[in-house]
Amino acid sequence: MLKKYGLLIWISLLLITGFVSTTLASFVVSRDAIQQGISEQTLPITGDNVYSEIQKDMLRPVFVSSQMAHDTFLRDWIINGEEDKDQVIKYLKEIKTKNHAMSSFLVSEQSHNYYHADGVLKTINENEARDAWFFRVRSMKSDYETNVDADMANRDTMTIFINYRIVDYSGKFIGVTGIGLTLDTMKNLIDSYQSRFHRNIFFVDQKGNIALAGNNMKKIRNNLSNMPGISNLAGQILTNRKSESLHLEYKNDNDTMLVNARFIPELGWHLLVEQETSNEIKPLQNVFLLNMGVSAAITVVLLTIVLLTVRRYQKRLEKSASTDTLTNLLNRQAFDFVFQQALLDSERSRQPMCVVLLDIDFFKKINDKQGHLVGDHVLKEIAMISKRSLRESDIICRWGGEEFLILLKNCTLEKATSIAENLRNTIANNDFSRTTDLTRTRLSITVSMGVAECRDKESEVSVFERADLALYQAKENGRNSVYFSE
């Protein structure tokens, strides 16, 4: 064993030594990098990236609502007296479906009808508290507002509404339109940001109230002033109305928290992104363990590859000694061992066993006229046809040249002759040109076979001679036939 795998053992020792040295060197470099990072560098806040993502995902409802408010169809429909209600209902349903919104709506100043994707919800009333939002938007100077409210059209589900003012061509207020997204949808969106950027992300309104936060923000309170540490920064955050972001920091549980605050005028909210410095340092502290794991994995993989290569090479040597390289069948030497074992099994179990000797008719002519490549193709094709046609327990080998020998276990002479006849017929009906580009015309091949049943105490030579004699009779009597020996 040691002699057989001596080279593999030496390679293993060299790989282990090399990987251990590399891992130790990486650990020293990583340790120095941690020390330098803590003492000389401030971890950057990627608030700009988060803001870009929010512009792409969360501000889309604002843009959609703006397009609805400026849509000439919607304005003309209101101005012309809201005659065909089905038209606007179909329009709102299309907006809702296309933008995957929770709701889409239109409230007309003229009729005070509340239209949504499923029809007319109600007629709003100035004296009803739940309708106060409409009259608030009507008197606003800004074009729209972002409002969190219960959606009457969807079983009072808490929803973020974009309420956008509609004005006619002379600037006169004629209604409110927009779409709504559920708070759960927005929270899931924020959770996806937090998972991707590994930071705490939440929104506060202009009074410091928490307007929106992810589901996993356990530390969040109702207002910035109630949040430990960051409450000291509330004034700076809420007074910022510029598009530039603020980079702040505070202490929380003996850890430094970095804060990126940005006012988003499209929403009227402040975006806050928090980052714990320990989250950045911790991966560096694990570099040593990571390198150890990588080194160990590479070592195992390389050793496995080497071992498999050695074993594969050994198997190839064994296979080349027992297999015909052209047809991948057993060669004559290997068949001798198989036949001797099968003969002993047959005598022990007293089950009949037959051999079939197959010879390709006029094979020399095929080589002479079509070329040796076509001849090789014929040999391989007959080998594949034979394996498909025989039973799993049957054994076939290339006996030599254009001859094949088949061993049929637990098979009487009558049954063996039937099997041989079926194989002969299959080969005769096969078009050998279908599976090769070497010849363009139909190529038909026939074979002759001799069948012999092994007798008690009969030698290998004797049974093969009787099968060969039957094969000779088949050839003498016109070929493409099966003869058997009594």
Side-chain angles (χ1 to χ4, degrees), residues 123-199:
T123 300
I124 64 172
N125 190 318
E126 192 168 2
N127 297 321
E128 187 171 338
R130 298 194 67 170
D131 297 336
W133 67 270
F134 174 79
F135 302 100
R136 180 182 68 249
V137 173
R138 181 176 66 178
S139 60
M140 283 191 331
K141 293 182 179 180
S142 59
D143 291 333
Y144 71 95
E145 71 167 7
T146 302
N147 184 39
V148 179
D149 202 352
D151 187 0
M152 291 182 290
N154 290 286
R155 300 179 181 179
D156 285 345
T157 302
M158 293 306 295
T159 304
I160 299 177
F161 287 101
I162 308 299
N163 301 323
Y164 219 105
R165 289 164 48 88
I166 309 174
V167 297
D168 62 14
Y169 301 103
S170 62
K172 179 184 177 182
F173 176 80
I174 59 174
V176 181
T177 189
I179 62 175
L181 299 176
T182 63
L183 278 177
D184 287 340
T185 300
M186 303 303 287
K187 287 180 180 179
N188 292 334
L189 194 60
I190 293 176
D191 283 337
S192 71
Y193 295 156
Q194 293 182 148
S195 176
R196 289 163 56 191
F197 294 106
H198 305 289
R199 288 157 175 82

Coordinates of all heavy atoms in Angstrom, one line a residue, residues 123-199:
T123 N -69.6 58.3 -2.2 CA -69.5 59.7 -2.5 C -69.0 60.4 -1.2 O -69.5 60.2 -0.1 CB -70.9 60.3 -2.8 OG1 -71.4 59.7 -4.0 CG2 -70.8 61.8 -3.0
I124 N -67.8 61.1 -1.4 CA -67.2 61.6 -0.2 C -68.0 62.8 0.4 O -68.7 63.5 -0.4 CB -65.7 62.0 -0.5 CG1 -65.7 63.2 -1.5 CG2 -64.9 60.9 -1.0 CD1 -64.3 63.7 -1.7
N125 N -67.8 63.0 1.7 CA -68.5 64.1 2.4 C -67.6 64.9 3.3 O -66.7 64.3 4.0 CB -69.6 63.4 3.3 CG -70.6 64.4 3.8 OD1 -70.2 65.5 4.3 ND2 -71.9 64.1 3.8
E126 N -67.7 66.2 3.2 CA -66.8 67.1 3.9 C -66.9 66.9 5.4 O -66.0 67.2 6.1 CB -67.0 68.5 3.5 CG -65.9 69.5 3.9 CD -66.0 70.8 3.3 OE1 -66.9 71.0 2.5 OE2 -65.1 71.7 3.5
N127 N -68.1 66.4 5.8 CA -68.3 66.3 7.3 C -67.9 64.9 7.8 O -68.0 64.7 9.0 CB -69.8 66.5 7.6 CG -70.3 67.9 7.2 OD1 -69.5 68.9 7.4 ND2 -71.5 68.1 6.7
E128 N -67.4 64.1 7.0 CA -67.0 62.7 7.4 C -65.5 62.7 7.6 O -64.7 63.1 6.7 CB -67.4 61.7 6.4 CG -67.2 60.2 6.9 CD -67.7 59.2 5.9 OE1 -68.7 59.6 5.1 OE2 -67.3 58.1 5.9
A129 N -65.1 62.3 8.8 CA -63.6 62.3 9.2 C -62.8 61.5 8.2 O -61.6 62.0 7.9 CB -63.5 61.8 10.6
R130 N -63.3 60.4 7.7 CA -62.4 59.6 6.8 C -62.2 60.2 5.4 O -61.4 59.7 4.7 CB -63.1 58.2 6.7 CG -63.2 57.4 8.0 CD -63.5 56.0 7.7 NE -62.4 55.3 7.1 CZ -62.3 54.0 7.0 NH1 -63.3 53.2 7.4 NH2 -61.3 53.4 6.4
D131 N -63.0 61.3 5.1 CA -62.9 61.9 3.8 C -62.1 63.2 3.9 O -61.9 63.9 3.0 CB -64.2 62.2 3.2 CG -65.0 60.9 2.9 OD1 -64.4 59.9 2.8 OD2 -66.3 61.0 2.9
A132 N -61.6 63.5 5.1 CA -60.9 64.8 5.3 C -59.6 64.9 4.5 O -59.2 66.0 4.1 CB -60.5 65.0 6.8
W133 N -59.0 63.8 4.1 CA -57.8 63.8 3.3 C -58.0 64.5 2.0 O -57.2 65.3 1.5 CB -57.3 62.4 3.1 CG -58.2 61.6 2.2 CD1 -59.2 60.8 2.6 CD2 -58.2 61.5 0.8 NE1 -59.8 60.2 1.5 CE2 -59.2 60.6 0.4 CE3 -57.4 62.1 -0.2 CZ2 -59.5 60.3 -0.9 CZ3 -57.6 61.7 -1.5 CH2 -58.7 60.9 -1.9
F134 N -59.2 64.3 1.3 CA -59.5 64.9 0.0 C -59.5 66.4 0.1 O -58.9 67.1 -0.7 CB -60.8 64.4 -0.5 CG -61.2 65.0 -1.8 CD1 -60.6 64.7 -3.0 CD2 -62.1 66.1 -1.8 CE1 -61.0 65.3 -4.2 CE2 -62.5 66.7 -3.0 CZ -61.9 66.3 -4.2
F135 N -60.2 66.9 1.1 CA -60.3 68.4 1.3 C -59.0 69.0 1.7 O -58.7 70.2 1.4 CB -61.5 68.7 2.2 CG -62.8 68.1 1.8 CD1 -63.2 66.9 2.3 CD2 -63.5 68.7 0.7 CE1 -64.4 66.3 1.9 CE2 -64.7 68.1 0.3 CZ -65.1 66.9 0.9
R136 N -58.2 68.2 2.4 CA -56.8 68.7 2.7 C -56.0 68.8 1.5 O -55.3 69.8 1.3 CB -56.2 67.7 3.7 CG -54.8 68.1 4.2 CD -54.1 67.1 5.1 NE -53.8 65.9 4.5 CZ -54.5 64.7 4.8 NH1 -55.4 64.7 5.7 NH2 -54.1 63.6 4.1
V137 N -56.0 67.8 0.6 CA -55.3 67.8 -0.6 C -55.8 68.9 -1.5 O -55.0 69.6 -2.2 CB -55.3 66.4 -1.3 CG1 -54.7 66.5 -2.7 CG2 -54.7 65.4 -0.5
R138 N -57.1 69.2 -1.5 CA -57.6 70.2 -2.4 C -57.1 71.6 -2.1 O -56.8 72.4 -3.0 CB -59.2 70.2 -2.3 CG -59.8 71.3 -3.1 CD -61.3 71.2 -3.0 NE -61.8 71.6 -1.7 CZ -63.1 71.6 -1.4 NH1 -64.0 71.3 -2.2 NH2 -63.5 71.9 -0.1
S139 N -56.8 71.8 -0.8 CA -56.3 73.1 -0.4 C -54.8 73.2 -0.3 O -54.2 74.2 0.0 CB -56.9 73.5 1.0 OG -56.5 72.5 1.9
M140 N -54.1 72.1 -0.7 CA -52.6 72.1 -0.7 C -52.0 73.0 -1.8 O -52.6 73.1 -2.8 CB -52.1 70.7 -0.8 CG -52.2 69.8 0.4 SD -51.2 68.2 0.2 CE -51.3 67.9 -1.5
K141 N -50.8 73.5 -1.5 CA -50.1 74.2 -2.6 C -49.2 73.3 -3.4 O -48.9 73.5 -4.5 CB -49.3 75.3 -1.9 CG -50.1 76.4 -1.3 CD -49.2 77.5 -0.7 CE -50.1 78.7 -0.1 NZ -49.2 79.8 0.4
S142 N -48.7 72.2 -2.7 CA -47.9 71.3 -3.4 C -48.7 70.4 -4.3 O -50.0 70.3 -4.1 CB -47.1 70.4 -2.4 OG -48.0 69.7 -1.5
D143 N -48.1 69.7 -5.2 CA -48.8 68.9 -6.2 C -49.4 67.6 -5.6 O -50.4 67.0 -6.1 CB -47.9 68.5 -7.4 CG -47.6 69.7 -8.2 OD1 -48.4 70.7 -8.2 OD2 -46.5 69.7 -8.9
Y144 N -48.7 67.1 -4.6 CA -49.1 65.8 -4.0 C -48.7 65.7 -2.6 O -47.9 66.5 -2.1 CB -48.6 64.6 -4.8 CG -47.1 64.4 -4.6 CD1 -46.6 63.5 -3.7 CD2 -46.2 65.2 -5.4 CE1 -45.3 63.3 -3.5 CE2 -44.8 65.0 -5.2 CZ -44.4 64.1 -4.2 OH -43.0 63.9 -4.0
E145 N -49.2 64.6 -1.9 CA -48.7 64.2 -0.6 C -48.6 62.7 -0.5 O -49.2 62.0 -1.3 CB -49.7 64.7 0.5 CG -51.0 64.0 0.5 CD -51.9 64.3 1.7 OE1 -51.5 65.1 2.5 OE2 -52.9 63.6 1.9
T146 N -47.8 62.3 0.5 CA -47.7 60.9 0.8 C -48.4 60.7 2.1 O -48.1 61.3 3.1 CB -46.3 60.4 0.9 OG1 -45.6 60.7 -0.3 CG2 -46.2 58.9 1.2
N147 N -49.4 59.8 2.1 CA -50.3 59.6 3.3 C -50.4 58.2 3.6 O -50.7 57.3 2.7 CB -51.6 60.3 3.0 CG -52.5 60.2 4.3 OD1 -52.1 60.4 5.4 ND2 -53.8 60.0 4.0
V148 N -50.3 57.8 4.9 CA -50.6 56.5 5.4 C -52.0 56.4 6.0 O -52.3 57.2 6.9 CB -49.5 56.0 6.4 CG1 -49.8 54.6 6.9 CG2 -48.1 56.1 5.8
D149 N -52.8 55.6 5.4 CA -54.2 55.6 5.9 C -54.8 54.3 5.6 O -54.3 53.4 4.9 CB -55.0 56.7 5.1 CG -56.3 57.1 5.9 OD1 -56.6 56.5 6.9 OD2 -56.9 58.1 5.4
A150 N -56.0 54.0 6.2 CA -56.7 52.7 5.9 C -57.4 52.8 4.6 O -58.0 53.9 4.2 CB -57.7 52.5 7.0
D151 N -57.3 51.7 3.8 CA -57.9 51.7 2.4 C -59.3 51.1 2.5 O -59.5 49.9 2.7 CB -57.0 50.9 1.5 CG -57.5 51.0 0.1 OD1 -58.5 51.6 -0.2 OD2 -56.8 50.3 -0.8
M152 N -60.3 51.9 2.3 CA -61.7 51.5 2.4 C -62.0 50.5 1.4 O -62.9 49.6 1.5 CB -62.6 52.7 2.3 CG -62.6 53.6 3.6 SD -63.8 54.9 3.4 CE -63.0 55.9 2.1
A153 N -61.3 50.6 0.2 CA -61.6 49.6 -0.9 C -61.0 48.3 -0.7 O -61.3 47.3 -1.4 CB -61.1 50.2 -2.2
N154 N -60.1 48.1 0.3 CA -59.5 46.9 0.6 C -59.5 46.5 2.1 O -58.5 46.3 2.7 CB -58.0 46.9 0.1 CG -57.9 46.9 -1.4 OD1 -58.1 46.0 -2.1 ND2 -57.6 48.1 -1.9
R155 N -60.7 46.5 2.6 CA -61.0 46.1 4.0 C -60.1 46.8 5.0 O -59.6 46.3 5.9 CB -60.7 44.6 4.1 CG -61.6 43.8 3.2 CD -61.4 42.3 3.4 NE -62.2 41.5 2.5 CZ -62.2 40.2 2.4 NH1 -61.3 39.5 3.2 NH2 -63.0 39.5 1.6
D156 N -59.9 48.1 4.8 CA -59.2 49.0 5.7 C -57.8 48.6 5.9 O -57.2 48.8 7.0 CB -60.0 49.1 7.0 CG -61.2 50.0 6.9 OD1 -61.3 50.7 5.9 OD2 -62.0 49.9 7.8
T157 N -57.2 48.0 4.9 CA -55.7 47.6 5.0 C -54.9 48.9 5.1 O -55.1 49.8 4.3 CB -55.3 46.8 3.8 OG1 -56.1 45.6 3.7 CG2 -53.9 46.4 3.9
M158 N -54.0 49.0 6.0 CA -53.1 50.1 6.1 C -52.3 50.3 4.8 O -51.5 49.4 4.5 CB -52.2 50.1 7.3 CG -53.0 50.1 8.7 SD -54.1 51.6 8.8 CE -52.8 52.9 8.8
T159 N -52.4 51.4 4.2 CA -51.8 51.6 2.9 C -51.1 53.0 2.8 O -51.5 53.9 3.4 CB -52.9 51.5 1.8 OG1 -53.6 50.3 2.0 CG2 -52.4 51.6 0.4
I160 N -50.0 53.0 2.0 CA -49.3 54.2 1.7 C -49.9 54.8 0.4 O -49.8 54.2 -0.7 CB -47.8 54.0 1.5 CG1 -47.2 53.5 2.8 CG2 -47.1 55.3 1.1 CD1 -45.7 53.2 2.7
F161 N -50.6 55.9 0.5 CA -51.3 56.5 -0.7 C -50.4 57.7 -1.2 O -49.8 58.4 -0.4 CB -52.7 57.1 -0.3 CG -53.7 56.0 -0.1 CD1 -54.1 55.6 1.2 CD2 -54.3 55.4 -1.2 CE1 -55.0 54.7 1.4 CE2 -55.3 54.5 -1.0 CZ -55.6 54.1 0.3
I162 N -50.4 57.8 -2.5 CA -49.8 59.0 -3.2 C -51.1 59.7 -3.7 O -51.7 59.3 -4.6 CB -48.9 58.6 -4.3 CG1 -47.8 57.6 -3.9 CG2 -48.3 59.9 -4.9 CD1 -46.9 58.2 -2.8
N163 N -51.4 60.8 -3.0 CA -52.6 61.7 -3.4 C -52.1 62.8 -4.3 O -51.5 63.7 -3.8 CB -53.3 62.2 -2.1 CG -53.7 61.1 -1.2 OD1 -54.2 60.0 -1.6 ND2 -53.6 61.3 0.1
Y164 N -52.4 62.7 -5.5 CA -51.9 63.7 -6.5 C -53.1 64.6 -7.0 O -54.1 64.1 -7.4 CB -51.3 63.0 -7.7 CG -50.0 63.7 -8.2 CD1 -48.8 63.2 -7.9 CD2 -50.1 64.9 -8.9 CE1 -47.6 63.8 -8.4 CE2 -49.0 65.5 -9.4 CZ -47.7 65.0 -9.1 OH -46.6 65.6 -9.6
R165 N -52.9 65.9 -6.9 CA -53.9 66.8 -7.4 C -54.0 66.8 -8.9 O -53.0 66.8 -9.6 CB -53.5 68.3 -6.9 CG -53.7 68.5 -5.4 CD -52.9 69.8 -5.0 NE -53.2 70.9 -5.9 CZ -54.2 71.7 -5.7 NH1 -55.0 71.6 -4.6 NH2 -54.4 72.7 -6.5
I166 N -55.3 66.9 -9.4 CA -55.6 67.0 -10.8 C -56.1 68.4 -11.1 O -57.0 68.9 -10.4 CB -56.6 66.0 -11.3 CG1 -56.2 64.6 -10.8 CG2 -56.7 66.0 -12.8 CD1 -57.3 63.5 -11.2
V167 N -55.5 69.1 -12.0 CA -56.0 70.4 -12.4 C -56.3 70.4 -13.9 O -55.7 69.6 -14.7 CB -55.0 71.5 -12.1 CG1 -54.7 71.6 -10.6 CG2 -53.6 71.3 -12.8
D168 N -57.3 71.3 -14.3 CA -57.6 71.3 -15.7 C -56.6 72.2 -16.5 O -55.5 72.6 -15.9 CB -59.0 71.9 -15.9 CG -59.2 73.3 -15.4 OD1 -58.1 74.0 -15.1 OD2 -60.3 73.8 -15.2
Y169 N -56.8 72.5 -17.7 CA -55.9 73.1 -18.6 C -55.6 74.6 -18.2 O -54.7 75.2 -18.6 CB -56.3 73.0 -20.0 CG -56.4 71.6 -20.5 CD1 -57.6 71.0 -20.6 CD2 -55.2 70.8 -20.7 CE1 -57.7 69.7 -21.0 CE2 -55.3 69.5 -21.1 CZ -56.6 68.9 -21.2 OH -56.7 67.6 -21.6
S170 N -56.5 75.1 -17.3 CA -56.3 76.5 -16.9 C -55.8 76.6 -15.4 O -55.7 77.6 -14.9 CB -57.7 77.3 -17.0 OG -58.6 76.7 -16.1
G171 N -55.5 75.4 -14.9 CA -54.9 75.3 -13.5 C -55.9 75.2 -12.4 O -55.6 75.2 -11.2
K172 N -57.2 74.9 -12.8 CA -58.3 74.8 -11.8 C -58.3 73.4 -11.2 O -58.2 72.4 -12.0 CB -59.6 75.2 -12.4 CG -60.8 75.0 -11.4 CD -62.1 75.3 -12.1 CE -63.3 75.1 -11.2 NZ -64.6 75.4 -11.9
F173 N -58.4 73.3 -9.9 CA -58.5 72.0 -9.2 C -59.8 71.2 -9.6 O -60.9 71.7 -9.5 CB -58.4 72.1 -7.7 CG -58.6 70.8 -7.0 CD1 -57.5 70.0 -6.8 CD2 -59.8 70.5 -6.4 CE1 -57.7 68.8 -6.1 CE2 -60.0 69.3 -5.7 CZ -58.9 68.5 -5.5
I174 N -59.6 69.9 -10.1 CA -60.8 69.2 -10.5 C -60.8 67.8 -9.9 O -61.7 67.0 -10.2 CB -60.8 69.0 -12.1 CG1 -59.5 68.3 -12.6 CG2 -61.0 70.4 -12.7 CD1 -59.6 68.0 -14.1
G175 N -59.8 67.4 -9.1 CA -59.9 66.1 -8.5 C -58.5 65.6 -7.9 O -57.5 66.4 -8.0
V176 N -58.6 64.4 -7.4 CA -57.4 63.8 -6.8 C -57.3 62.4 -7.4 O -58.3 61.7 -7.4 CB -57.4 63.8 -5.3 CG1 -56.1 63.1 -4.7 CG2 -57.5 65.2 -4.7
T177 N -56.1 61.9 -7.7 CA -55.9 60.6 -8.2 C -54.5 60.0 -7.6 O -53.8 60.8 -7.0 CB -55.8 60.5 -9.7 OG1 -55.8 59.1 -10.2 CG2 -54.6 61.2 -10.3
G178 N -54.3 58.8 -7.8 CA -53.0 58.2 -7.4 C -53.2 56.7 -7.2 O -54.2 56.1 -7.5
I179 N -52.1 56.1 -6.6 CA -52.1 54.6 -6.3 C -51.7 54.4 -4.9 O -51.2 55.4 -4.2 CB -51.2 53.8 -7.3 CG1 -49.8 54.3 -7.1 CG2 -51.7 54.0 -8.7 CD1 -48.8 53.5 -7.9
G180 N -51.9 53.2 -4.4 CA -51.5 52.9 -3.0 C -50.8 51.6 -2.9 O -51.0 50.7 -3.7
L181 N -49.8 51.5 -2.0 CA -49.1 50.3 -1.7 C -49.2 50.0 -0.2 O -49.2 50.9 0.6 CB -47.6 50.5 -2.0 CG -47.2 50.8 -3.5 CD1 -45.7 51.0 -3.5 CD2 -47.6 49.7 -4.4
T182 N -49.4 48.7 0.1 CA -49.6 48.3 1.5 C -48.3 48.5 2.3 O -47.2 48.5 1.7 CB -50.0 46.8 1.6 OG1 -48.9 46.0 1.1 CG2 -51.3 46.6 0.8
L183 N -48.5 48.8 3.5 CA -47.3 49.0 4.4 C -46.5 47.7 4.4 O -45.2 47.8 4.5 CB -47.8 49.3 5.8 CG -48.1 50.8 6.1 CD1 -48.6 51.0 7.5 CD2 -46.9 51.7 5.8
D184 N -47.1 46.6 4.4 CA -46.4 45.3 4.4 C -45.5 45.2 3.2 O -44.3 44.7 3.3 CB -47.3 44.1 4.5 CG -47.9 44.0 5.9 OD1 -47.4 44.5 6.8 OD2 -49.0 43.3 6.0
T185 N -46.0 45.6 2.0 CA -45.2 45.6 0.8 C -43.9 46.5 1.0 O -42.8 46.1 0.6 CB -46.0 46.0 -0.4 OG1 -47.1 45.2 -0.5 CG2 -45.2 46.0 -1.7
M186 N -44.1 47.7 1.5 CA -43.0 48.6 1.7 C -42.0 48.1 2.7 O -40.8 48.2 2.6 CB -43.5 50.0 2.1 CG -44.5 50.6 1.0 SD -43.9 50.7 -0.6 CE -42.7 52.0 -0.4
K187 N -42.6 47.5 3.8 CA -41.7 46.9 4.8 C -40.8 45.8 4.3 O -39.6 45.7 4.6 CB -42.5 46.4 6.0 CG -43.1 47.5 6.9 CD -43.9 47.0 8.0 CE -44.5 48.1 8.9 NZ -45.3 47.5 10.0
N188 N -41.4 44.9 3.4 CA -40.7 43.9 2.8 C -39.6 44.4 1.9 O -38.5 43.8 1.8 CB -41.6 42.9 2.0 CG -42.5 42.1 3.0 OD1 -42.2 41.9 4.1 ND2 -43.7 41.7 2.5
L189 N -39.9 45.5 1.2 CA -39.0 46.2 0.3 C -37.8 46.7 1.1 O -36.6 46.5 0.8 CB -39.6 47.3 -0.4 CG -38.9 47.9 -1.6 CD1 -38.7 46.8 -2.7 CD2 -39.7 49.0 -2.2
I190 N -38.1 47.3 2.3 CA -37.0 47.8 3.1 C -36.2 46.7 3.7 O -34.9 46.7 3.8 CB -37.6 48.7 4.3 CG1 -38.2 50.0 3.7 CG2 -36.5 49.0 5.3 CD1 -38.9 50.8 4.7
D191 N -36.9 45.6 4.0 CA -36.1 44.4 4.5 C -35.2 43.9 3.5 O -34.1 43.4 3.8 CB -37.1 43.3 4.9 CG -37.8 43.6 6.3 OD1 -37.2 44.3 7.1 OD2 -38.9 43.0 6.5
S192 N -35.6 43.9 2.2 CA -34.7 43.4 1.2 C -33.5 44.4 1.1 O -32.3 43.9 0.8 CB -35.4 43.4 -0.2 OG -35.7 44.7 -0.7
Y193 N -33.7 45.7 1.2 CA -32.5 46.6 1.2 C -31.6 46.3 2.4 O -30.3 46.2 2.2 CB -33.0 48.1 1.4 CG -33.9 48.6 0.3 CD1 -34.8 49.6 0.5 CD2 -33.8 48.1 -1.0 CE1 -35.5 50.1 -0.5 CE2 -34.6 48.6 -2.0 CZ -35.4 49.6 -1.8 OH -36.2 50.1 -2.8
Q194 N -32.2 46.1 3.6 CA -31.3 45.8 4.7 C -30.5 44.5 4.6 O -29.4 44.4 5.0 CB -32.2 45.7 6.0 CG -32.8 47.1 6.3 CD -33.6 47.0 7.6 OE1 -33.7 48.0 8.3 NE2 -34.3 45.9 7.9
S195 N -31.2 43.5 4.0 CA -30.5 42.3 3.7 C -29.3 42.4 2.7 O -28.2 41.8 2.9 CB -31.5 41.2 3.2 OG -30.8 40.0 2.9
R196 N -29.5 43.2 1.7 CA -28.5 43.4 0.7 C -27.4 44.3 1.1 O -26.2 44.0 0.8 CB -29.2 44.0 -0.6 CG -30.1 43.0 -1.3 CD -31.0 43.7 -2.3 NE -30.3 44.5 -3.2 CZ -30.9 45.4 -4.1 NH1 -32.2 45.6 -4.0 NH2 -30.1 46.1 -4.9
F197 N -27.7 45.4 1.8 CA -26.7 46.4 2.2 C -26.2 46.2 3.6 O -25.2 46.8 4.0 CB -27.2 47.8 2.1 CG -27.6 48.2 0.7 CD1 -28.9 48.3 0.2 CD2 -26.5 48.5 -0.2 CE1 -29.2 48.6 -1.1 CE2 -26.8 48.8 -1.5 CZ -28.1 48.9 -2.0
H198 N -26.8 45.3 4.4 CA -26.4 45.0 5.8 C -26.3 46.2 6.6 O -25.4 46.5 7.4 CB -25.0 44.3 5.8 CG -24.9 43.1 4.9 ND1 -25.5 41.9 5.3 CD2 -24.3 42.9 3.7 CE1 -25.3 41.0 4.3 NE2 -24.5 41.5 3.4
R199 N -27.4 47.0 6.5 CA -27.6 48.2 7.3 C -29.0 48.3 7.8 O -29.9 47.7 7.2 CB -27.2 49.4 6.5 CG -25.7 49.5 6.3 CD -25.3 50.4 5.0 NE -23.9 50.6 4.9 CZ -23.1 49.6 4.3 NH1 -23.5 48.5 3.9 NH2 -21.8 49.9 4.2

